[in-house]
Amino acid sequence: MDFATKEIFKRYASIIVGRPISPVFLNILVTSVCDMRCTHCFFTEELDDRPRKKLQMKADEIGRISETLGGNLGVLVLAGGEPFTRKDLPEIVRSFYENNKLDSVYLMSNGQIHQRIFPDVTRILDECPKLNVTVALGIDGVKGAHEKIRRKEGSWDKAIHTARTLQQMKAEQYPQLDIQTCTCVMHSNEDTIFEWYDFLKHDLKPDKVNINYIRPPSADPIELQFDPMRYSQLSQMILDDTKNAALKNNYGGKSGFFKAAVDLYMHDLITKTKEENKAQLKCYAGSAGAVIYDNGALSSCENKADVLNLRDYDWNFQAAWNTDMMKERRKVAGAGCFCTHESNCYYPSLPFNPGHLIKIKKLEKQMKKASEEMGFAAAKEIGLKA
């Protein structure tokens, strides 16, 4: 292993040998409110559960979680529903930034609520100046496919407008802002998915192109029936274009290339998982990562039942994290459990699988080299024109 690889193991050695510490990846579903009922949504029942909305965590309760997290936090994902429906979203982000030295926050959004998205993103960037902020827009394909999936006319134009406005904000004032797209590959977009990728590559040009493998349950079960080769072919195209610097495909911050390399590498493992129907890595869900639902429920991942509720532990994360119930869940996750869940399984777990980590570091090196060569070529062209 090279020095950087050894440092990763050294930093998180307690996870690797099985002693749980604070998660380095935390996924919080901060709201069960959304203005859409998408065909591929796995959260529809919760969104339509009115009593549940009354149990949504308040900002001070989430703040208490951050105060008791017990360590620094590398990545925080805030999702929903639609997180920008919360008026206190900037306060929630700031609590983790101040209490946990948060490195990166990912705000998952459908890009519809312009009157909230732009001021809230601005406020987060102003109040957390060293934070890498990613807005990941769920856009599921070309206009026709997207609006069929999202069941909302005009939603594609709004999402694209959000992306372009955020890109302008990045260019003019906020270089630490990343604008990404997240596309779920499914039945309704499989026939136009490559057309969509051409649009992303040549027109919209987001900082990063993300693809997800649709997972059950789905509001419309037909969405689960698609050709997995489309996903495999698309992931290979994204990988090739990234290696050749035809696509930026990177995160901000010092570890941006590494994070992107993890994302790209996991696509092939997901394909193999579906083909072979068995685990391709040791899962550290519940150790390196955790999920907190809008009502305070804590779990290792979204694919398994809740383990407990933080309300019953006075919102003390460490008190809940170190219970026998969570210890048992970690054993289950590490004993061959497998799925295609990108953010709960692959992203937090891959850095702690030695064989995979070495390959990820190799890919990271290739990506850096391609980016440097592309930057040099661009500078040379500008010099010649001048």
Side-chain angles (χ1 to χ4, degrees):
M1 296 183 192
D2 60 19
F3 176 77
T5 308
K6 289 180 180 178
E7 283 299 299
I8 291 176
F9 279 119
K10 180 180 178 182
R11 182 179 177 187
Y12 302 123
S14 57
I15 289 178
I16 294 169
V17 298
R19 295 194 301 274
I21 60 170
S22 299
V24 294
F25 184 99
L26 186 59
N27 186 0
I28 303 181
L29 283 75
V30 291
T31 175
S32 60
V33 178
C34 191
D35 55 345
M36 291 182 175
R37 292 297 180 271
C38 308
T39 62
H40 62 306
C41 182
F42 59 87
F43 205 58
T44 303
E45 291 185 7
E46 289 83 352
L47 293 176
D48 293 331
D49 184 353
R50 290 191 176 185
R52 182 191 182 101
K53 293 181 175 68
K54 297 179 181 180
L55 296 174
Q56 284 189 166
M57 295 181 290
K58 298 178 176 62
D60 62 327
E61 293 168 339
I62 298 175
R64 169 71 173 158
I65 292 171
S66 75
E67 289 171 357
T68 60
L69 193 65
N72 298 342
L73 186 60
V75 180
L76 173 68
V77 176
L78 296 178
E82 172 55 49
F84 284 101
T85 59
R86 290 196 65 133
K87 296 180 181 180
D88 54 7
L89 190 63
E91 286 89 343
I92 292 172
V93 175
R94 192 174 67 246
S95 65
F96 287 94
Y97 178 73
E98 294 177 347
N99 295 327
N100 310 107
K101 295 183 180 179
L102 181 63
D103 179 71
S104 300
V105 64
Y106 297 86
L107 305 170
M108 313 295 292
S109 175
N110 58 35
Q112 302 299 298
I113 316 176
H114 293 163
Q115 70 273 22
R116 297 289 286 279
I117 294 173
F118 304 133
D120 279 4
V121 170
T122 299
R123 185 177 163 193
I124 290 169
L125 288 161
D126 286 340
E127 295 181 359
C128 309
K130 295 182 180 180
L131 182 64
N132 296 302
V133 178
T134 294
V135 179
L137 297 169
I139 311 178
D140 295 307
V142 293
K143 186 172 183 177
H146 174 83
E147 295 191 352
K148 177 185 177 183
I149 293 165
R150 296 284 168 165
R151 295 172 173 171
K152 189 170 184 179
E153 187 177 352
S155 60
W156 192 85
D157 290 328
K158 277 192 172 183
I160 296 299
H161 174 71
T162 300
R164 296 197 192 281
T165 303
L166 291 172
Q167 285 174 330
Q168 184 177 357
M169 289 170 57
K170 176 186 178 83
E172 293 179 354
Q173 189 173 359
Y174 299 107
Q176 72 273 39
L177 172 63
D178 280 343
I179 301 89
Q180 303 184 7
T181 56
C182 187
T183 301
C184 189
V185 184
M186 66 191 99
H187 176 80
S188 288
N189 62 13
E190 64 176 328
D191 291 335
T192 58
I193 199 70
F194 300 113
E195 179 185 350
W196 168 237
Y197 178 61
D198 282 342
F199 175 82
L200 291 175
K201 180 179 174 181
H202 300 293
D203 190 320
L204 191 61
K205 299 179 181 179
D207 292 303
K208 191 169 181 300
V209 173
N210 298 307
I211 60 171
N212 285 351
Y213 197 109
I214 186 173
R215 56 188 172 91
S218 174
D220 186 350
I222 190 67
E223 298 295 5
L224 299 169
Q225 301 175 25
F226 76 101
D227 183 359
M229 285 304 297
R230 301 290 176 92
Y231 173 90
S232 179
Q233 291 167 4
L234 180 59
S235 64
Q236 187 61 50
M237 291 169 66
I238 295 172
L239 176 61
D240 291 342
D241 284 338
T242 304
K243 284 183 176 181
N244 296 325
L247 196 67
K248 180 187 176 184
N249 228 31
N250 191 19
Y251 292 98
K254 294 180 180 179
S255 59
F257 279 102
F258 178 75
K259 293 175 183 177
V262 172
D263 281 355
L264 291 171
Y265 182 83
M266 73 181 174
H267 293 151
D268 183 54
L269 286 191
I270 289 172
T271 299
K272 289 181 180 178
T273 299
K274 293 298 293 184
E275 290 176 349
E276 300 177 8
N277 197 35
K278 66 178 184 179
Q280 305 294 321
L281 77 168
K282 182 175 181 180
C283 183
Y284 284 98
S287 294
V291 174
I292 301 174
Y293 290 94
D294 58 303
N295 61 358
L298 174 67
S299 184
S300 57
C301 66
E302 293 174 77
N303 282 342
K304 293 193 176 298
D306 306 343
V307 177
L308 50 85
N309 197 299
L310 290 163
R311 247 171 240 282
D312 300 325
Y313 295 83
D314 193 29
W315 305 105
N316 186 319
F317 185 86
Q318 281 297 315
W321 190 241
N322 290 303
T323 59
D324 289 340
M325 290 182 287
M326 281 302 302
K327 291 176 183 177
E328 286 302 313
R329 174 57 62 83
R330 291 182 191 107
K331 291 179 182 178
V332 172
C337 185
F338 66 94
C339 65
T340 62
H341 198 318
E342 294 86 358
S343 61
N344 286 172
C345 173
Y346 295 84
Y347 194 82
S349 299
L350 277 170
F352 308 114
N353 282 258
H356 292 310
L357 178 58
I358 291 171
K359 295 176 182 177
I360 291 169
K361 294 296 294 182
K362 181 179 179 180
L363 176 57
E364 177 193 20
K365 188 176 181 179
Q366 292 174 328
M367 291 168 62
K368 285 183 177 180
K369 182 178 179 181
S371 178
E372 291 170 358
E373 289 175 350
M374 182 58 68
F376 176 78
K380 185 176 180 180
E381 183 178 349
I382 293 172
L384 292 173
K385 289 181 179 178

